[in-house]
Amino acid sequence: MYLLHPLVLTVYFANKVDAVRYTNLEFTMDYLGVLVVTTALALIAYLFIELPLSAIEKMLMDKLLGGGGGSSGGRGAGGKAGKGGGGGGDAATPRRAEQEAPAGDDAEKNGW
């Protein structure tokens, strides 16, 4: 949005044929009009430029880094990385919370 705002302002004020009157109503109408146009253009740019490029980048990164299809980038189901993030890794490696601690002396030997 911040990248489009100066462009919208330049186009808007360059196309004014009358002298700018600084009344409260004129200023409010100019402000709201520029805000709405800038927001609409930012939404269009996001939907048609940023989202498709983000999807292409994700596909390329998965391919380059050898990630399996549908990989969530090491994040769990909740979308959080790190402790308690809900998993990550492959199905053969259980999460720490799912592993049972051995009983007795075996617990100290194994670092539990």
Side-chain angles (χ1 to χ4, degrees):
M1 192 163 162
Y2 66 93
L3 295 173
L4 295 173
H5 187 68
L7 178 67
V8 172
L9 284 175
T10 301
V11 169
Y12 179 73
F13 285 111
N15 287 318
K16 279 196 168 253
V17 292
D18 295 334
V20 179
R21 298 177 317 193
Y22 288 106
T23 64
N24 286 337
L25 179 62
E26 184 77 21
F27 183 75
T28 303
M29 294 300 289
D30 285 347
Y31 174 80
L32 291 176
V34 168
L35 178 68
V36 168
V37 170
T38 302
T39 304
L41 288 176
L43 178 65
I44 290 169
Y46 174 73
L47 292 175
F48 292 105
I49 296 172
E50 192 171 344
L51 277 181
L53 288 178
S54 176
I56 292 170
E57 177 190 15
K58 185 178 180 339
M59 287 188 321
L60 288 175
M61 292 302 285
D62 284 346
K63 187 174 276 192
L64 290 174
L65 298 176
S71 159
S72 63
R75 294 185 174 161
K80 297 177 185 172
K83 284 187 176 179
D90 51 14
T93 309
R95 293 182 298 194
R96 182 109 177 141
E98 294 174 352
Q99 295 175 344
E100 295 285 331
D105 290 335
D106 289 338
E108 293 174 8
K109 290 180 192 174
N110 293 330
W112 290 93

